[in-house]
Amino acid sequence: MAEFIQHDRHHEPFVGEIPVPHGPATGDEHEHYPGPTPPAANSEQERAIFSYLTHPDDIYTEDGTYWADLPLGKRIAFINKTQNEEAKAELKAIGRMMKKDPLSPISWYFRNAILPGAGLGLEGYVLFSIGNLDPLFKSTWPQCWGKNATECSSNWVASVTYLEVIGIMVGQVVVGVIGDWIGRRWGLIQDAAIMFVGLLMITASWGLNLQGWVICYAWSLFFYGFGVGGEYPITATSSMENAVSSGKLSTRDDRLHRGRKVTSAFLMQGWGQFFNQALLIILMLILHHGDGSPPYSTVTTQWLWRLSFAIPAVGTLWLVYYRAYKMPHASRQLAAAKKKSNVTGYDFESLKATYSFFGGRLLATAGTWFCNDVFFYGNKLFQAQFIDVISGGESTVMTGWIWNLYNVIVSLAGYYLASLLIDNKFYGRKMMQQVGFLMCFIMFVVPAFHYDYYTSKAGIKAFQAMYFLSSFFNQFGPNSVTFLVAGEVFPTPIRASAHGFSACIGKSGALLASVLYNYIDTQTKFYVVPWFGLAGMLLTWLFLPDTTGLDLKEQERRWAYIRSGRENEYHGIAIHPKHLSLWERLRGVGKNYNPELDHKQKLDDIREDWAGKERARANMEAGGEPTGTEDLEDDHYTDEVHRYFRNETGAKVSYHGAVMTPASVSPAPASSSKSSTEAMNEKSG
């Protein structure tokens, strides 16, 4: 929605590529531009000129105080004012859109939520269809899926779930590395292509006997799962970096709606589950007699499950085309970060530094995802047994599917509420995840110790309510938040790798549930599962930083200091106690936070970036090759900034021994004449 709002805003910058803080000059670095330090008398003039870059009004007050530094009363007033103004601006934007074209909000949602999350939607459709089809297979082929199977090995039947989850885990790690090594775009295309071929394999799977078919089916799911696993790190990072549109990190939209962007794509997983379950019900009514009650013929079952996989294959083929030809800039932010660090290929130095500086964050993102997936996939795996309990043990396949459809609808409500509140500074990521884990713990631990009552006629309604509430709070909590923060709390060069690693450890929780649940009864599952919710809440509280309202540009800026070996000289908001975990605060990470020193450093960083752009312009006008480290097309400096720096440097900038004057420099576009989004739209369209 911001692309429509920002037409009414001036001086909205693109601030994304942060220069590495300069230290002693080396022979390979650009010579720092000459010029005296501005006198103290210019401090107010500097604040007026640079405030749109150093103190954006959506996170700073007029006097330059960061929102998290305000006393509680003033903080509440500031946050409410900012959020209310943003809500009004969005409503006005929607009104203008509808006045121009009544259907334009739908097309906007399609472009900004459905398309970015299409891969996850297709993944959710197929991934959870396996569990939905399981009771149908048990009813049709009891000699293979039953407890007393005679034609199939129980190990091969169980491997249908195991191989699917293992394929996902492998894909998450491998494609996460590919996303940081070769690029986001390649990962996006590769995942869609693998999922398309995997769907063809699943749809066409066959065997000389039932066990042969089960083996073919299981390995087809493993192949498909590899593509599914890759969707997690690639979709999260590309949505977060908004590579398709601007390739920049720091805009008002990023600060206020970054979480909503990512979760809007992620919640397509819920719609995938919904459409799968709805389609299975429709196909059952079409291909089977009456109300869908047993017995089920093998012909009906074969047609039903093969059609259910063939239909999403068409959408996946279209996704391959869309990603290959309509997403040319998906790797732009990663490429810019690598150029800043002078890295080609995989950034092993960033990976090593991440373990050193962000080890606690890795523990938080991986550990909480593990706890969540025991809940999330465990819930899915034993939903048929739960439905047997609440239906008195007389449920049919159709009954189970209808109950599951209700559960998916409740989950979708959780997905959307998470998207609505995940950027709210009063609630936000960390609180949402803690509350979600706590509620899941309560909703399972209560029936665990009063199982006989809640499975009786007197308590069954409360049992149903608690089960559905656990699904709601799982989405309105850890399932949505883990997907977002697993990439958000790490720097760009290894973001996909960290996300993929966290997701892989998370899926090991799903694997644990799928193995464990084969050996314990329903009541024991309720005894075991709650403690993963409690563990997830404690891991979140201790190790997860709260990035709600944090400008991601500041995370990249802090990373530049870390990469240059000057981490203790960074004083900005990325180490504000509000945005650090308890573990990081106990280790003293936030001790260097100092707004005044940070303001001076920001101005130095801006000077360095400006000088680099001016040198690059002079070099290109002199016939030289572009350095590749300055993005001249997205110059976010106003005319006032250019005049200030040129006056400060005596209208001269040194470029490797040459002297460049303003006459030799093409004037930079003033951001007051065009919003950043207008300039972006002109370039892309």
Side-chain angles (χ1 to χ4, degrees):
M1 193 63 64
E3 63 188 83
F4 296 97
I5 298 172
Q6 288 181 358
H7 285 288
D8 294 337
R9 295 196 177 107
H10 300 301
H11 302 288
E12 176 61 36
F14 282 113
V15 184
E17 298 179 7
I18 305 302
V20 176
H22 58 81
T26 67
D28 297 327
E29 295 174 354
H30 288 305
E31 180 183 346
H32 185 55
Y33 66 90
T37 302
N42 284 344
S43 60
E44 291 303 319
Q45 179 189 12
E46 284 181 346
R47 284 190 179 274
I49 293 174
F50 295 101
S51 62
Y52 78 102
L53 290 169
T54 61
H55 296 84
D57 62 4
D58 54 288
I59 55 175
Y60 286 93
T61 62
E62 290 183 0
D63 63 357
T65 303
Y66 187 54
W67 68 270
D69 285 326
L70 294 169
L72 181 60
K74 291 184 178 180
R75 187 189 308 178
I76 292 172
F78 176 80
I79 292 172
N80 281 334
K81 177 176 178 292
T82 302
Q83 292 182 163
N84 291 339
E85 288 176 352
E86 188 69 11
K88 289 178 183 177
E90 289 195 309
L91 288 174
K92 288 180 180 179
I94 293 172
R96 291 194 299 271
M97 290 164 60
M98 295 186 68
K99 185 176 181 180
K100 185 177 180 180
D101 179 359
L103 297 180
S104 58
I106 298 175
S107 62
W108 179 91
Y109 185 78
F110 182 81
R111 292 193 310 273
N112 291 273
I114 295 177
L115 284 180
L120 285 167
L122 291 163
E123 166 263 321
Y125 177 103
V126 177
L127 190 62
F128 296 101
S129 68
I130 311 305
N132 293 335
L133 288 168
D134 193 59
L136 178 63
F137 291 163
K138 286 180 179 178
S139 180
T140 306
W141 295 298
Q143 69 273 33
C144 195
W145 254 264
K147 292 182 179 179
N148 301 314
T150 58
E151 293 189 27
C152 298
S153 165
S154 59
N155 290 331
W156 272 114
V157 172
S159 71
V160 169
T161 301
Y162 301 161
L163 284 174
E164 178 190 29
V165 175
I166 292 171
I168 293 171
M169 293 170 66
V170 174
Q172 287 167 335
V173 173
V174 173
V175 180
V177 172
I178 288 174
D180 287 331
W181 180 18
I182 302 176
R184 319 296 195 221
R185 181 171 179 265
W186 174 257
L188 287 165
I189 297 170
Q190 171 191 279
D191 287 341
I194 290 174
M195 288 195 295
F196 172 68
V197 175
L199 279 172
L200 295 182
M201 292 169 61
I202 296 169
T203 304
S205 59
W206 200 260
L208 296 177
N209 52 38
L210 273 176
Q211 174 146 314
W213 167 68
V214 170
I215 294 172
C216 184
Y217 183 59
W219 282 110
S220 298
L221 283 171
F222 173 85
F223 185 85
Y224 181 82
F226 184 92
V228 167
E231 278 298 295
Y232 284 77
I234 290 298
T235 300
T237 52
S238 59
S239 296
M240 190 176 303
E241 294 166 1
N242 198 20
V244 177
S245 55
S246 69
K248 294 294 184 181
L249 283 174
S250 181
T251 63
R252 186 184 185 94
D253 188 46
D254 166 67
R255 294 185 292 269
L256 295 179
H257 305 303
R258 182 175 66 248
R260 186 177 70 182
K261 277 185 178 181
V262 178
T263 51
S264 293
F266 179 64
L267 66 81
M268 293 306 298
Q269 183 187 75
W271 280 111
Q273 298 174 52
F274 175 85
F275 284 116
N276 170 255
Q277 190 62 87
L279 182 62
L280 286 175
I281 292 172
I282 293 170
L283 288 174
M284 176 69 84
L285 294 175
I286 293 173
L287 299 172
H288 191 61
H289 61 81
D291 59 356
S293 58
Y296 308 104
S297 70
T298 57
V299 174
T300 296
T301 301
Q302 289 278 5
W303 273 102
L304 191 149
W305 76 263
R306 292 183 191 278
L307 279 174
S308 72
F309 287 119
I311 291 172
V314 177
T316 307
L317 180 61
W318 178 86
L319 188 64
V320 175
Y321 156 77
Y322 179 81
R323 289 179 172 180
Y325 293 98
K326 302 295 182 180
M327 301 180 71
H329 302 300
S331 300
R332 186 178 178 187
Q333 185 62 41
L334 175 66
K338 284 187 175 183
K339 287 176 180 176
K340 282 291 178 185
S341 301
N342 195 26
V343 171
T344 58
Y346 192 81
D347 194 345
F348 288 101
E349 288 300 318
S350 289
L351 183 64
K352 189 185 302 182
T354 297
Y355 283 112
S356 300
F357 290 93
F358 295 147
R361 298 186 178 197
L362 271 175
L363 178 60
T365 56
T368 57
W369 206 325
F370 175 87
C371 295
N372 173 68
D373 273 16
V374 174
F375 254 104
F376 183 57
Y377 285 91
N379 186 315
K380 291 293 180 183
L381 287 169
F382 85 100
Q383 66 186 7
Q385 296 163 345
F386 171 79
I387 291 167
D388 279 341
V389 172
I390 64 176
S391 61
E394 299 179 356
S395 66
T396 64
V397 172
M398 182 63 81
T399 303
W401 285 354
I402 291 172
W403 274 106
N404 185 50
L405 189 63
Y406 296 155
N407 196 37
V408 171
I409 292 171
V410 172
S411 298
L412 271 172
Y415 277 114
Y416 274 99
L417 192 58
S419 183
L420 181 66
L421 293 180
I422 203 162
D423 289 309
N424 187 295
K425 294 184 178 68
F426 295 127
Y427 198 63
R429 291 108 158 105
K430 187 166 185 173
M431 181 63 72
M432 185 181 293
Q433 182 154 296
Q434 288 179 284
V435 171
F437 270 128
L438 176 63
M439 294 303 296
C440 286
F441 168 73
I442 293 171
M443 296 305 157
F444 273 75
V445 79
V446 171
F449 291 95
H450 297 84
Y451 189 77
D452 291 338
Y453 168 75
Y454 285 109
T455 54
S456 68
K457 288 185 178 180
I460 198 66
K461 295 296 183 183
F463 195 24
Q464 294 173 17
M466 285 188 288
Y467 184 79
F468 287 140
L469 280 172
S470 72
S471 296
F472 172 83
F473 278 103
N474 185 254
Q475 310 312 326
F476 181 48
N479 199 41
S480 294
V481 177
T482 51
F483 183 82
L484 170 64
V485 298
E488 192 178 44
V489 300
F490 300 108
T492 298
I494 51 86
R495 179 169 288 142
S497 300
H499 192 285
F501 171 79
S502 302
C504 177
I505 299 299
K507 281 297 171 290
S508 67
L511 186 61
L512 172 66
S514 64
V515 174
L516 183 64
Y517 285 9
N518 284 327
Y519 300 98
I520 58 178
D521 60 25
T522 303
Q523 184 174 5
T524 306
K525 291 167 187 171
F526 277 89
Y527 280 131
V528 171
V529 167
W531 310 108
F532 288 94
L534 187 61
M537 185 184 73
L538 293 175
L539 283 172
T540 303
W541 171 71
L542 183 57
F543 291 107
L544 185 69
D546 190 359
T547 47
T548 306
L550 174 63
D551 190 338
L552 271 192
K553 175 212 49 169
E554 281 299 315
Q555 292 230 92
E556 295 304 304
R557 185 166 160 258
R558 180 193 174 196
W559 184 248
Y561 277 79
I562 290 174
R563 279 298 305 265
S564 64
R566 304 172 66 221
E567 62 275 6
N568 291 327
E569 297 179 31
Y570 174 77
H571 305 292
I573 58 176
I575 57 171
H576 190 287
K578 171 68 177 175
H579 301 305
L580 296 175
S581 67
L582 176 59
W583 173 254
E584 289 171 326
R585 295 199 299 272
L586 290 173
R587 296 177 63 217
V589 175
K591 65 183 178 182
N592 294 318
Y593 174 64
N594 188 315
E596 288 302 317
L597 290 178
D598 181 56
H599 176 67
K600 296 175 182 177
Q601 287 179 333
K602 281 181 178 178
L603 292 180
D604 287 341
D605 291 344
I606 292 170
R607 284 186 181 94
E608 185 76 6
D609 184 56
W610 178 86
K613 291 184 187 299
E614 298 294 277
R615 289 192 295 262
R617 282 195 180 90
N619 183 47
M620 291 174 67
E621 291 200 356
E625 292 293 326
T627 65
T629 59
E630 296 86 10
D631 190 347
L632 301 182
E633 294 181 359
D634 283 337
D635 193 334
H636 46 267
Y637 298 126
T638 62
D639 283 338
E640 290 84 358
V641 169
H642 283 285
R643 282 196 295 268
Y644 183 87
F645 281 144
R646 287 169 185 162
N647 289 336
E648 181 186 83
T649 59
K652 294 180 181 180
V653 177
S654 174
Y655 178 76
H656 292 295
V659 175
M660 179 191 68
T661 65
S664 66
V665 177
S666 301
S671 63
S672 58
S673 62
K674 289 183 182 178
S675 73
S676 58
T677 304
E678 289 176 313
M680 175 196 73
N681 288 340
E682 284 184 7
K683 286 202 310 170
S684 62

